[in-house]
Amino acid sequence: FNTNSYSAEYHEAGMVRVEVITKPGMGNWRGMMNFGFRDDSLNATNKFATSRGPEQQKRFMVNAQGPIAKGKTGLSISADGNLSYDAQTIVATTPTGEVNDQVRRPVDSVNATVRLEQALGPTSQLRAEYTRRENSRSNLGVGDFDLTDRAYAVDTMTDALRVRNTRTIGKRVFSELRFEATQSSNTTTSVSNAPAIRVLDQFTSGGAGQSGVREGRQFTVAQNFDFSIAKHMLRAGVLVDGAWWDSTQQNNANGTFTFSSMADYLAGRPRTFTRRVGDPDVSYSQFEAGWYVQDDFRLTKNLNVSLGVRQEMQTHVDDKWNLAPRGAFSY
């Protein structure tokens, strides 16, 4: 039972939580699934559109869990997804006439998780979990004055591996060792690489000017111990974080011409031209480490006091001696 959200265990305010650790591989195989569907049958027509726009949403969820070896090994598998699209209305005026159109914007996301729990002995347990998340969005940036060639797509993907070992040492010490590794990528692609042309209150055409890939790799290693001394319940631990990021994402690399009116556009007189130049390649890393000690003790039947201290350090900051005292009480 962790009831102190300001515990020294957390860098910032944490959360009150109750954690239950059960023996793996118990019970029978069980599972569930559901499916949902919705379309545009009951939608109203957009005031600026000539017809009702297409819209649809399909979602699903399925999971199953049960024992591989009774009382020793348990397996859990789950997956969910959302396949949907809506319509964005274009209302613009170009030199060739009015544009009144609708563009479908798909959004597809799929998540999957596999978790394995293994008893290593009567007082030790290992849990390993792998999660993959994918999300794809298309035809972003289109609508209102923005024409179809302004579209761009964003694809994100995240892989996460979490491993946790819990065990008791003797009769008074509880140990928790955690490891987590995450790899993510975010890719942005524009339909057109042409310079953007913006005529105020009329139309915007040309490329969206957004492209590139951002990738990240992160890891966390944490070791916590819980033990008691007389009426004191103590928790102490250390944590190490590391991360690397690489990015080639850029915005407005091909430039944007802005015209005050249609007459200025036809005459070829832009009010401004803006362009972001330079090498978009960015790479950096950061490492953090910290330790803490937290003491929870009951002074009276109705009064519980918590005292703790935390120290943290990180790269890019020269100061290494950073103590953060914590104090709290519950009555």
Side-chain angles (χ1 to χ4, degrees):
F1 296 85
N2 195 323
T3 59
N4 181 9
S5 59
Y6 294 98
S7 169
E9 177 183 357
Y10 306 113
H11 169 78
E12 298 175 333
M15 57 184 177
V16 175
R17 73 176 190 266
V18 178
E19 186 174 9
V20 180
I21 300 175
T22 60
K23 189 175 183 179
M26 302 301 293
N28 300 317
W29 275 95
R30 55 204 179 274
M32 64 175 293
M33 64 178 298
N34 62 56
F35 176 83
F37 175 82
R38 177 176 63 84
D39 65 5
D40 53 30
S41 299
L42 299 179
N43 286 5
T45 302
N46 189 304
K47 183 177 181 180
F48 296 100
T50 57
S51 61
R52 183 169 56 192
E55 183 176 341
Q56 188 180 97
Q57 181 184 66
K58 294 182 288 186
R59 57 175 177 80
F60 69 90
M61 186 277 290
V62 59
N63 66 54
Q65 55 184 335
I68 296 179
K70 203 72 172 179
K72 291 185 178 180
T73 309
L75 178 67
S76 175
I77 302 173
S78 65
D80 65 86
N82 188 342
L83 310 177
S84 61
Y85 59 81
D86 64 2
Q88 187 69 19
T89 302
I90 301 175
V91 182
T93 302
T94 68
T96 58
E98 293 186 355
V99 177
N100 194 314
D101 197 4
Q102 292 182 341
V103 178
R104 180 181 296 188
R105 299 189 305 180
V107 178
D108 299 330
S109 62
V110 178
N111 308 314
T113 300
V114 178
R115 182 173 66 246
L116 181 69
E117 295 177 301
Q118 176 67 47
L120 303 179
T123 62
S124 181
Q125 179 176 322
L126 180 69
R127 170 185 287 189
E129 179 180 280
Y130 169 75
T131 302
R132 184 180 182 89
R133 302 182 183 276
E134 295 184 5
N135 183 278
S136 176
R137 295 179 293 168
S138 304
N139 284 339
L140 300 174
V142 178
D144 297 329
F145 296 129
D146 291 276
L147 304 181
T148 54
D149 54 352
R150 293 280 294 163
Y152 67 94
V154 176
D155 297 299
T156 60
M157 182 177 63
T158 303
D159 294 291
L161 174 65
R162 300 178 180 90
V163 181
R164 181 189 186 205
N165 173 242
T166 57
R167 63 192 179 101
T168 58
I169 303 173
K171 296 182 178 180
R172 292 182 175 271
V173 179
F174 175 78
S175 169
E176 177 194 41
L177 175 63
R178 293 185 291 110
F179 170 78
E180 180 175 345
T182 304
Q183 178 173 306
S184 61
S185 66
N186 184 300
T187 304
T188 305
T189 308
S190 294
V191 172
S192 171
N193 292 323
I197 298 175
R198 186 185 307 275
V199 181
L200 299 182
D201 298 328
Q202 300 295 319
F203 74 93
T204 303
S205 64
Q210 301 193 44
S211 63
V213 180
R214 176 182 169 89
E215 297 179 328
R217 299 171 301 280
Q218 300 169 271
F219 77 89
T220 299
V221 179
Q223 173 68 67
N224 298 306
F225 294 100
D226 291 271
F227 54 96
S228 61
I229 300 177
K231 295 183 179 182
H232 297 260
M233 293 297 300
L234 294 102
R235 184 172 175 87
V238 296
L239 179 142
V240 177
D241 285 328
W244 299 263
W245 291 278
D246 301 287
S247 176
T248 59
Q249 289 185 337
Q250 53 186 343
N251 185 25
N252 197 30
N254 300 314
T256 300
F257 292 94
T258 302
F259 297 85
S260 299
S261 63
M262 184 68 75
D264 286 345
Y265 171 71
L266 296 175
R269 295 192 301 267
R271 186 177 71 177
T272 61
F273 174 75
T274 60
R275 183 184 181 190
R276 182 171 292 179
V277 298
D279 186 356
D281 191 2
V282 176
S283 299
Y284 63 98
S285 62
Q286 179 166 303
F287 299 91
E288 303 173 357
W291 62 266
Y292 75 92
V293 176
Q294 180 71 31
D295 181 13
D296 298 321
F297 57 95
R298 189 174 298 277
L299 286 180
T300 67
K301 182 180 179 180
N302 298 328
L303 180 60
N304 191 75
V305 177
S306 300
L307 297 175
V309 63
R310 182 180 184 90
Q311 181 193 359
E312 295 179 334
M313 61 192 74
Q314 63 168 315
T315 54
H316 308 303
V317 177
D318 294 333
D319 186 13
K320 305 300 182 184
W321 190 248
N322 305 292
L323 291 177
R326 310 290 178 91
F329 71 89
S330 302
Y331 179 76

